[in-house]
Amino acid sequence: MKLAGLKSIENAHDESVWAATWIPATETRPALLLTGSLDETVKLWKPDELTLERTNAGHCLGVVSVAAHPSGSIAASASLDSFVRVFDVDSNASIATLEAPPSEVWQMQFDPKGTTLAVAGGGSASVQLWDTEKWKLIATLSIPRQEGPKPSDKNSSKKFVLSVGWSPDGKRVACGSMDGTISVFDVARAKFLHHLEGHFMPVRSLVYSPADPRVLFSASDDAHVHMYDAEGKSMIAAMSGHASWVLSVDASPDGAAIATGSSDKTVRLWDLSMRAAVQTMSNHVDQVWGVKFRPPGGPGPRAGRLASVSDDKSLSLYDYS
């Protein structure tokens, strides 16, 4: 397995690019790359030339997360202004605006069926689940307060929820917190199941394996990537190689590899059979906030693609084979 650089766009945004995801292909158009930036805009890009399809304004502060509905027709952007804007991909018409208290909107992800949007709730120490038909809040998955030696211990601030991930069967939501804990929830029962231990610094990104709904990958400021059996509560592997914070992790559609982005300015490709990094890409000159594999399906050639975005304002596209 390897990555090969295809194209980079310098100054893709006017400020740091903090978020990226792929909007799945529809019958009428290929998959699009969606990026969100500190410059308060969201941009849609056409692969493989990375031509700019459209720029969306509408947020008052930087965009911290973007998410795409599995249908490919709807996407969402979340900003430091604590609003989530849900919009029609092809027309940019606003579908809904979801409001949260300050500092309670971070990463977000649609479930595999597209019925629910999960939002990492920051200082609320919870994950909010929004129904995608009526855009109503249907559940708040709260992390239980752990019994500390001192009741005055500021547990809630440490449980600041940064990241969220759905299992491929849609039955579980996992979230990563500032203190390094990962919490797993049973979605149907809106019930906390257990914590996954091992990180001691912020967990900024989570992704389940598309090949196995039990396997969860996490990226942390402790410079490690962990592979968990999220049902059995056990760590399968701790993978090191980055020289600094690991800010983003994504799993390849074939389930054979993961990619990571780090504040050491690199993108790494990891072979899961070896549980080791097999390639390092150094396209970026500042920290890499997002890496994302293109989902399978859709018209046209279906080669593997990975995108990365960075504080250096650029966007890079790679062939994955």
Side-chain angles (χ1 to χ4, degrees), residues 207-219:
V207 66
Y208 275 88
S209 165
D212 184 345
R214 293 176 64 102
V215 174
L216 177 70
F217 302 99
S218 58

Side-chain angles (χ1 to χ4, degrees), residues 21-45:
T21 196
W22 290 91
I23 300 171
T26 63
E27 288 177 3
T28 54
R29 61 149 177 78
L32 297 171
L33 184 64
L34 183 66
T35 57
S37 166
L38 189 55
D39 68 11
E40 304 171 13
T41 68
V42 168
K43 295 189 178 188
L44 288 86
W45 307 84

Side-chain angles (χ1 to χ4, degrees), residues 256-274:
I258 55 171
T260 51
S262 166
S263 58
D264 68 9
K265 309 174 189 175
T266 68
V267 171
R268 288 179 193 243
L269 182 70
W270 308 73
D271 183 331
L272 293 176
S273 62
M274 297 160 58

Side-chain angles (χ1 to χ4, degrees), residues 144-164:
R145 293 183 79 103
Q146 285 173 308
E147 298 304 312
K150 302 188 292 290
S152 63
D153 212 16
K154 297 191 189 77
N155 267 338
S156 55
S157 63
K158 295 179 186 163
K159 288 285 181 275
F160 193 100
V161 178
L162 293 165
S163 52
V164 66

Side-chain angles (χ1 to χ4, degrees), residues 7-299:
K7 177 122 192 194
S8 290
I9 301 286
E10 303 297 320
N11 299 307
H13 282 269
D14 296 337
E15 301 269 358
S16 300
V17 192
W18 281 354
T21 196
W22 290 91
I23 300 171
T26 63
E27 288 177 3
T28 54
R29 61 149 177 78
L32 297 171
L33 184 64
L34 183 66
T35 57
S37 166
L38 189 55
D39 68 11
E40 304 171 13
T41 68
V42 168
K43 295 189 178 188
L44 288 86
W45 307 84
K46 254 189 184 155
D48 275 345
E49 301 75 27
L50 293 182
T51 44
L52 182 62
E53 182 93 339
R54 196 173 67 237
T55 301
N56 295 354
H59 286 293
C60 308
L61 290 168
V63 176
V64 291
S65 177
V66 288
H69 190 274
S71 68
S73 58
I74 298 170
S77 54
S79 158
L80 291 168
D81 62 14
S82 290
F83 285 97
V84 175
R85 180 174 180 260
V86 184
F87 58 94
D88 180 284
V89 169
D90 295 313
S91 71
N92 191 29
S94 286
I95 294 169
T97 302
L98 317 179
E99 192 176 353
S103 176
E104 291 189 11
V105 174
W106 294 91
Q107 276 179 21
M108 53 184 182
Q109 192 185 352
F110 287 94
D111 77 307
K113 292 194 181 75
T115 59
T116 310
L117 177 68
V119 180
S124 69
S126 66
V127 174
Q128 277 82 42
L129 300 183
W130 295 81
D131 162 71
T132 60
E133 196 180 347
K134 299 195 171 82
W135 298 105
K136 296 277 185 254
L137 185 65
I138 49 172
T140 298
L141 309 176
S142 295
I143 301 173
R145 293 183 79 103
Q146 285 173 308
E147 298 304 312
K150 302 188 292 290
S152 63
D153 212 16
K154 297 191 189 77
N155 267 338
S156 55
S157 63
K158 295 179 186 163
K159 288 285 181 275
F160 193 100
V161 178
L162 293 165
S163 52
V164 66
W166 284 93
S167 64
D169 57 14
K171 292 178 178 174
R172 300 281 185 266
V173 159
C175 67
S177 299
M178 200 73 96
D179 67 352
T181 50
I182 298 165
S183 307
V184 182
F185 296 89
D186 176 324
V187 177
R189 295 187 294 160
K191 182 175 183 287
F192 168 80
L193 294 175
H194 47 254
H195 290 302
L196 301 174
E197 309 288 349
H199 289 299
F200 297 98
M201 290 175 76
V203 176
R204 295 187 189 269
S205 183
L206 291 171
V207 66
Y208 275 88
S209 165
D212 184 345
R214 293 176 64 102
V215 174
L216 177 70
F217 302 99
S218 58
S220 169
D221 286 8
D222 61 19
H224 285 75
V225 179
H226 287 178
M227 180 178 181
Y228 291 97
D229 175 345
E231 295 295 296
K233 297 193 283 189
S234 59
M235 196 195 306
I236 300 168
M239 295 177 276
S240 59
H242 280 295
S244 185
W245 303 356
V246 191
L247 302 171
S248 180
V249 60
D250 196 30
S252 63
D254 60 12
I258 55 171
T260 51
S262 166
S263 58
D264 68 9
K265 309 174 189 175
T266 68
V267 171
R268 288 179 193 243
L269 182 70
W270 308 73
D271 183 331
L272 293 176
S273 62
M274 297 160 58
R275 294 178 191 163
V278 289
Q279 196 173 359
T280 302
M281 306 298 279
S282 303
N283 295 32
H284 294 291
V285 295
D286 208 337
Q287 47 192 19
V288 181
W289 276 108
V291 289
K292 207 75 181 170
F293 284 98
R294 181 168 66 181

